[in-house]
């Protein structure tokens, strides 16, 4: 498996309502590889994200298509991380209702 292709795939996955990547938004971090498993942490701006499963699947599906498995942890953003996220959300917002409910 091409390590760089995996990284490129992960880094290109965008938020469904914000025109930038999950990595850039700080929503996906601690990405690591162990055999055919990609391990990562999803970082949410708050509890109860309505499109949480959609976001997780947006990472899981392309990895599965590459023959890889996704294992993940989750945590809530710190206030500093959340402020950065909100600034990026405002900058790259595609329009419509907020996907994260913010």
């Amino acid at each position: 498996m091409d390590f760089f292709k995996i990284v490129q795939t992960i880094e290109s996955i965008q938020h469904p309502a914000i025109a930038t990547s999950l990595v850039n938004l700080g929503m996906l971090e601690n990405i690591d590889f162990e055999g055919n498993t990609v391990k990562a942490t999803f970082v949410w701006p708050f509890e109860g994200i309505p499109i949480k499963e959609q976001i997780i699947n947006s990472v899981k599906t392309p990895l599965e298509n590459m023959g890889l498995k996704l294992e993940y942890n989750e945590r809530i953003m710190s206030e500093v991380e959340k402020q950065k996220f909100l600034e990026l959300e405002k900058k790259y917002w595609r329009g419509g209702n907020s996907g994260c409910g913010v």
Side-chain angles (χ1 to χ4, degrees):
M1 188 60 51
D2 184 348
F3 172 79
F4 293 105
K5 182 173 174 136
I6 298 167
V7 170
Q8 185 179 34
T9 298
I10 292 169
E11 289 181 345
S12 71
I13 298 169
Q14 291 198 354
H15 188 285
I18 305 169
T20 193
S21 73
L22 296 176
V23 172
N24 189 44
L25 287 168
M27 296 183 75
L28 191 61
E29 65 179 20
N30 300 327
I31 301 162
D32 198 10
F33 305 92
E34 203 172 283
N36 284 341
T37 302
V38 175
K39 296 183 177 188
T41 301
F42 285 93
V43 187
W44 310 111
F46 57 86
E47 298 271 350
I49 300 293
I51 60 169
K52 179 174 149 178
E53 290 304 315
Q54 180 183 354
I55 291 172
I56 292 169
N57 287 330
S58 75
V59 176
K60 184 178 181 180
T61 300
L63 293 176
E64 287 177 345
N65 291 341
M66 298 170 81
L68 301 168
K69 179 181 172 188
L70 175 66
E71 289 182 6
Y72 62 90
N73 295 311
E74 301 175 69
R75 72 173 181 84
I76 302 299
M77 291 179 178
S78 69
E79 279 304 311
V80 170
E81 292 170 321
K82 186 175 177 179
Q83 288 309 308
K84 180 182 175 195
F85 169 85
L86 293 173
E87 288 170 16
L88 290 170
E89 178 188 46
K90 184 177 181 181
K91 180 177 180 179
Y92 294 111
W93 187 245
R94 296 179 202 261
N97 292 332
S98 175
C100 285
V102 177

